[in-house]
Amino acid sequence: METTLRGVGVSHGVAIGEVRHMGTAVLEPPARQIPAEEAEREQGRARQAVEAVAADLMARGNLAGGEAQAVLEAQALMAQDPELIAAVDRRIAVGSTAERAVYDAFAAYRDLLAGAGEYLAGRVADLDDVRNRIVARLLGVPMPGVPDSDEPYVLVARDLAPADTALLDPTLVLGFVTEEGGPTSHSAILARALGVPAVVALPGAVELAEGTVIAVDGSTGEIFVNPGEEKKAQLEASAAERKAALASATGPGATSDGHKVPLLANIGGPADVAAALAAGAEGVGLFRTEFLFLDDSKSAPSEGKQLESYRQVLEAFPEGRVVVRVLDAGADKALDFLTPADEPNPALGVRGLRTLLEHPEVLRTQLSALAKAAEGLPVYLEVMAPMVADRTDAKAFADACRAAGLRAKFGAMVEIPSAALRARSVLQEVEFLSLGTNDLAQYTFAADRQVGAVSRWQDPWQPALLDLVAIAAEAARAEGKSCGVCGEAASDPMLACVLTGLGVTSLSMGAASLPYVRATLAKYTLAQCERAAAAARAADGADEARAAAQAVLSGE
């Protein structure tokens, strides 16, 4: 019997195929005592397994490249965490086997993070994956992971670790569905980069039987279980229509009546440039420089290393616009040399610009590297600070940019509600705003962006979030300055139209989403976008806002 389920669509497209489940997690190793004379040998086994897993994660990262590489390298560092290794050694010294010691040490650390209010939930999921890989190696059993199959399938899992998502083969994995996760989780971001249709936060996903035929609509978040021939034909026709629209939409972003909306790409480094150019990006709206710093969490990269990376990106967009976000360290992007280890609530502590102002030498080096990287290039460089809360923050950043001799526009990210509410004040110090809707939603609704249980408040269609976008965009218009969106909200084609109607002046997203947004935006006039935006803001919830905007744009 055909049934319909609904999760959160995080990567566009339609996939129809049989369910294949992710390999089962490693079973809990038995607790048994070892003689004291075997302790040293067991400690050696544990270290060898740790190093092998770390090397495997690094190798996977090198194969994947781009943002995936940075995520996997951070996971490798997690595996080699000296505190965790010391905890394993202590457990072995009092009689645990290597595999049991690893299991228990990771469990204790996991409980510690969960007890901190789950603000590091994303790292908890990654920690579980590292633990499973080390224990599997010690037990001599297959690694948990993507199933072997000669035929294409839809992958279903409780959650997907970055190590699995990064190397999905899109010729075999038609799409994926997870029970956990949210629209801004690592797996969701990597799915969009791969162009694989994906739905997350689907209740009961793991209960779908192996071999069941399902249809996944990554745009709507709908899952059709045992779809009939009519439903399959309808979905395939819709997918074909989207593909044709994508092929016909080329050139700069604009509404059907010629209102220009530059469409830019979000990137993590030089490895992401090729995909952005292939998708027709008009520039870069968010260059996440923290991925460069994650190569070594114990020290900042040298000015020379930074300069080389920045120069490669800037050279790729001659006479284009490149917006660089300076280091956003803290919360789930902890760096040993910057991030306090004992913060009880990292997402609300010393993060982003606050961290840089406490470590001015790190900011100074980065700004100097950016200034030198742009020398002699016709590129339009813009540099923005993360986690700006007020005018004082904005002034401190602008002063630092000027002191570094940076010839660029200085901007502020709007990720904290106070910055949106006081946007005109912030704009007295900087020349543009960029809305980071992922964090803006997190702080507006007190809903951790990595926790699937609160994903409904991470939905960028929430009217309260749209209100804050409208406030910031209106402030920028009043000051004669620009206000873009670089959060994942921009990757939703219909929402991109609404954001345009709210007064946003540019949209930045993962490269895979650019054709969808370009094609959709070109179908509507600016007036239609404005009416859709007004209808969405008048709604009381995300689903109602989405439906109201859809009704306006479809002429209902």
Side-chain angles (χ1 to χ4, degrees):
M1 185 179 72
E2 181 179 320
T3 57
T4 303
L5 307 174
R6 182 181 287 278
V8 178
V10 296
S11 185
H12 303 297
V14 171
I16 302 174
E18 292 188 359
V19 167
R20 292 287 181 274
H21 284 274
M22 178 67 73
T24 56
V26 177
L27 296 176
E28 181 178 347
R32 66 179 181 84
Q33 288 292 110
I34 60 169
E37 59 268 21
E38 292 184 16
E40 187 174 344
R41 180 179 66 84
E42 289 294 287
Q43 287 170 340
R45 285 183 64 227
R47 284 195 175 86
Q48 287 176 0
V50 165
E51 291 305 318
V53 167
D56 178 61
L57 290 168
M58 293 291 283
R60 286 169 176 260
N62 289 333
L63 283 173
E67 294 185 15
Q69 181 173 5
V71 172
L72 293 175
E73 287 177 353
Q75 226 184 343
L77 291 172
M78 185 184 291
Q80 297 169 305
D81 186 298
E83 291 186 17
L84 275 171
I85 293 173
V88 170
D89 282 345
R90 287 195 297 271
R91 283 171 168 78
I92 293 174
V94 295
S96 285
T97 61
E99 50 267 31
R100 185 70 204 193
V102 168
Y103 187 89
D104 289 341
F106 274 71
Y109 193 46
R110 187 188 198 285
D111 290 344
L112 183 67
L113 294 183
E118 292 194 83
Y119 275 90
L120 297 180
R123 293 194 70 191
V124 165
D126 293 354
L127 188 73
D128 287 346
D129 181 58
V130 171
R131 176 204 64 198
N132 291 347
R133 290 173 186 279
I134 297 172
V135 172
R137 184 168 289 275
L138 287 166
L139 290 175
V141 300
M143 290 283 179
V146 178
D148 291 328
S149 176
D150 295 329
E151 297 296 325
Y153 59 91
V154 176
L155 181 63
V156 175
R158 185 169 299 281
D159 202 355
L160 283 172
D164 297 315
T165 316
L167 295 182
L168 289 179
D169 181 350
T171 64
L172 283 176
V173 181
L174 302 171
F176 70 73
V177 179
T178 66
E179 190 161 316
E180 300 294 331
T184 59
S185 65
H186 279 148
S187 292
I189 292 171
L190 294 177
R192 285 187 284 269
L194 287 166
V196 177
V199 172
V200 302
L202 178 74
V206 295
E207 296 171 16
L208 291 167
E210 186 86 1
T212 302
V213 174
I214 64 172
V216 179
D217 190 328
S219 300
T220 66
E222 290 175 305
I223 303 294
F224 303 95
V225 182
N226 296 315
E229 293 306 315
E230 184 179 347
K231 175 59 71 174
K232 287 182 184 178
Q234 178 186 340
L235 290 169
E236 287 168 351
S238 176
E241 183 182 334
R242 289 177 192 169
K243 187 174 182 180
L246 296 181
S248 65
T250 58
T255 58
S256 63
D257 55 341
H259 175 73
K260 292 183 179 179
V261 187
L263 301 180
L264 314 171
N266 294 344
I267 68 169
D272 296 331
V273 166
L277 292 171
E282 297 171 57
V284 172
L286 174 62
F287 181 176
R288 299 182 176 101
T289 60
E290 63 268 17
F291 289 113
L292 183 62
F293 287 74
L294 287 170
D295 283 348
D296 180 0
S297 69
K298 299 189 184 303
S299 62
S302 67
E303 181 178 303
K305 182 177 180 180
Q306 292 187 56
L307 191 158
E308 180 183 0
S309 180
Y310 303 152
R311 184 86 179 184
Q312 288 180 56
V313 173
L314 295 177
E315 286 177 338
F317 294 93
E319 299 184 9
R321 178 186 178 200
V322 175
V323 184
V324 179
R325 179 176 70 190
V326 294
L327 176 63
D328 181 14
D332 62 340
K333 293 171 284 191
L335 296 171
D336 291 348
F337 68 97
L338 287 180
T339 309
D342 57 350
E343 278 196 307
N345 205 337
L348 299 180
V350 181
R351 178 189 167 187
L353 181 61
R354 297 170 186 174
T355 299
L356 293 174
L357 294 178
E358 286 198 357
H359 299 271
E361 71 287 353
V362 174
L363 177 59
R364 186 164 51 247
T365 299
Q366 185 171 22
L367 294 175
S368 176
L370 284 165
K372 292 175 181 177
E375 285 179 1
L377 296 180
V379 67
Y380 295 98
L381 175 63
E382 301 183 9
V383 182
M384 61 186 182
M387 305 302 291
V388 170
D390 57 16
R391 181 174 180 174
T392 299
D393 278 352
K395 183 178 188 304
F397 178 66
D399 287 346
C401 289
R402 283 187 283 267
L406 193 62
R407 293 184 178 180
K409 285 187 175 181
F410 317 142
M413 289 201 70
V414 177
E415 302 163 282
I416 301 173
S418 62
L421 295 170
R422 301 287 295 172
R424 289 198 71 169
S425 174
V426 170
L427 283 166
Q428 304 311 303
E429 305 295 341
V430 294
E431 297 171 83
F432 69 94
L433 300 177
S434 184
L435 289 144
T437 52
N438 305 349
D439 272 320
L440 186 57
Q442 172 172 249
Y443 294 119
T444 298
F445 298 103
D448 191 323
R449 56 188 284 190
Q450 298 291 349
V451 178
V454 295
S455 63
R456 85 170 181 88
W457 290 284
Q458 271 293 326
D459 191 326
W461 281 94
Q462 287 284 359
L465 185 65
L466 300 180
D467 287 344
L468 291 173
V469 172
I471 290 169
E474 175 55 36
R477 185 188 302 113
E479 294 294 328
K481 297 179 179 180
S482 64
C483 177
V485 168
C486 65
E488 292 301 317
S491 65
D492 179 331
M494 188 164 63
L495 185 52
C497 296
V498 167
L499 295 172
T500 298
L502 292 174
V504 166
T505 55
S506 66
L507 299 166
S508 189
M509 65 209 74
S513 298
L514 284 164
Y516 291 91
V517 172
R518 182 183 295 111
T520 304
L521 198 60
K523 291 165 58 178
Y524 305 108
T525 65
L526 176 59
Q528 286 176 299
C529 292
E530 289 172 341
R531 287 197 296 274
R537 287 184 68 190
D540 289 324
D543 289 342
E544 295 90 339
R546 187 182 288 106
Q550 177 66 63
V552 170
L553 294 177
S554 62
E556 297 177 6

